[in-house]
Amino acid sequence: MNLLFLNSIEKETYGGMEEWIGLIADGLIGKGHSVTVAGRNKSEFLRRIIKFNENIDLFPMDISGDFNPVTVSELRSKIGKNKIDLVVVNFNKDVRLGGLAAKLGGKARVIWSVGLDITKDSFVHRYLTPKLINGVIVPSNALADQIAKFGYINRDIIKVIPIGLSEKENQIDKETAQKELRKKYNIPDGRKIAITVGRFVDQKGHKILLDAATKIINKSDEITFLLIGDGPLRNDILNG
């Protein structure tokens, strides 16, 4: 099978979905499939993605508007040239650009890979999205329900595929790792630790978490919250 992943993430940004694409691309190539990855020209995403597997076919693009005819035409040409069977899209912009290119090409099916709820109850979403995708994959049942809440995406076409990691041999045992973590962050033995991992951006909800964590800590000092990640809101979170 020939697959094309389209991800229009900003040039300087790299997060969990981009990492997932790299892992999936490497695994698919290992099983004999052909993988093309399209993204913004000179982006951090494309710079890192090729490190997963040198056989990934990179397709740098100057991505602009959601319905840009030049971008759609370039994608349609690439889909035809590489005989793409399946286009995997991420953002709403990708749904429109990749979906239109695939439909104009006539053969490739489109899968929307969603890591968080970015659906909207608007005419464009209601009218176009169901026409441009053939299926949706999400990492949890809760997100599947959110995606289907407006009714224009049929719950039956949403497939839940939990995100996993490749098996790796642990360098240290769990007990030793816990001790090292407590020592590194000066966390007393017996105190509970709550950890969240994610980019520091609005849609991850760190500000809501910080508000809730503050209320919990004010009532009890028996828990420590660790926020792991980076992003444009890093300073706001540190100073919050």
Side-chain angles (χ1 to χ4, degrees), residues 89 95 99 103 109-112 128-136 153 157:
V89 296
V95 170
K103 298 306 177 185
R109 296 174 67 81
V110 179
I111 297 296
W112 190 11
L128 276 183
T129 302
K131 297 180 181 298
L132 296 178
I133 63 173
N134 300 103
V136 182
I153 297 178
I157 71 167

Side-chain angles (χ1 to χ4, degrees), residues 182-239:
R182 292 183 182 277
K183 180 180 179 181
K184 181 176 181 179
Y185 295 103
N186 194 29
I187 302 173
D189 291 339
R191 179 179 293 180
K192 295 180 180 179
I193 303 173
I195 298 177
T196 181
V197 181
R199 287 189 299 125
F200 297 149
V201 291
D202 282 332
Q203 60 263 41
K204 297 295 184 179
H206 288 97
K207 291 182 179 180
I208 298 174
L209 172 62
L210 286 174
D211 288 342
T214 300
K215 293 178 181 178
I216 293 172
I217 293 171
N218 286 339
K219 291 184 177 181
S220 172
D221 61 356
E222 296 301 313
I223 185 169
T224 294
F225 289 85
L226 290 181
L227 279 63
I228 301 174
D230 202 352
L233 296 184
R234 177 183 174 85
N235 290 334
D236 290 345
I237 291 173
L238 286 174
N239 297 325

Side-chain angles (χ1 to χ4, degrees), residues 2-239:
N2 299 323
L3 301 96
L4 184 147
F5 289 84
L6 172 61
N7 185 303
S8 62
I9 192 79
E10 295 84 355
K11 287 186 177 182
E12 68 281 359
T13 305
Y14 184 89
M17 180 59 74
E18 291 68 50
E19 185 79 4
W20 176 83
I21 291 173
L23 291 169
I24 294 298
D26 180 49
L28 289 168
I29 290 172
K31 293 182 179 295
H33 301 288
S34 174
V35 176
T36 298
V37 176
R40 294 184 187 274
N41 190 30
K42 297 181 180 180
S43 64
E44 184 68 10
F45 168 52
L46 291 187
R47 186 186 72 81
R48 292 197 195 189
I49 209 74
I50 194 63
K51 295 181 179 180
F52 283 90
N53 194 306
E54 61 181 9
N55 291 315
I56 294 174
D57 174 35
L58 294 185
F59 187 42
M61 305 182 69
D62 293 320
I63 300 174
S64 55
D66 288 14
F67 302 98
N68 188 289
V70 175
T71 305
V72 172
S73 179
E74 289 177 350
L75 280 168
R76 179 186 178 186
S77 177
K78 189 68 172 178
I79 289 170
K81 179 180 178 181
N82 287 25
K83 299 180 180 179
I84 299 297
D85 302 297
L86 186 67
V87 178
V88 182
V89 296
N90 295 124
F91 298 101
N92 286 315
K93 180 188 294 291
D94 305 334
V95 170
R96 289 154 198 164
L97 292 174
L100 285 171
K103 298 306 177 185
L104 291 172
K107 294 183 179 179
R109 296 174 67 81
V110 179
I111 297 296
W112 190 11
S113 174
V114 189
L116 52 84
D117 183 12
I118 55 175
T119 56
K120 296 181 180 179
D121 191 17
S122 67
F123 173 77
V124 172
H125 284 253
R126 282 185 170 278
Y127 180 75
L128 276 183
T129 302
K131 297 180 181 298
L132 296 178
I133 63 173
N134 300 103
V136 182
I137 56 175
V138 295
S140 69
N141 283 305
L143 184 53
D145 292 338
Q146 287 181 305
I147 296 297
K149 67 179 180 295
F150 292 126
Y152 59 84
I153 297 178
N154 192 320
R155 184 63 172 79
D156 292 339
I157 71 167
I158 304 175
K159 176 71 174 179
V160 177
I161 304 178
I163 295 176
L165 295 174
S166 303
E167 291 186 3
K168 295 183 179 179
E169 184 178 348
N170 292 328
Q171 300 298 314
I172 57 176
D173 60 85
K174 182 178 180 180
E175 183 177 349
T176 302
Q178 289 177 340
K179 288 181 178 179
E180 291 187 0
L181 180 69
R182 292 183 182 277
K183 180 180 179 181
K184 181 176 181 179
Y185 295 103
N186 194 29
I187 302 173
D189 291 339
R191 179 179 293 180
K192 295 180 180 179
I193 303 173
I195 298 177
T196 181
V197 181
R199 287 189 299 125
F200 297 149
V201 291
D202 282 332
Q203 60 263 41
K204 297 295 184 179
H206 288 97
K207 291 182 179 180
I208 298 174
L209 172 62
L210 286 174
D211 288 342
T214 300
K215 293 178 181 178
I216 293 172
I217 293 171
N218 286 339
K219 291 184 177 181
S220 172
D221 61 356
E222 296 301 313
I223 185 169
T224 294
F225 289 85
L226 290 181
L227 279 63
I228 301 174
D230 202 352
L233 296 184
R234 177 183 174 85
N235 290 334
D236 290 345
I237 291 173
L238 286 174
N239 297 325

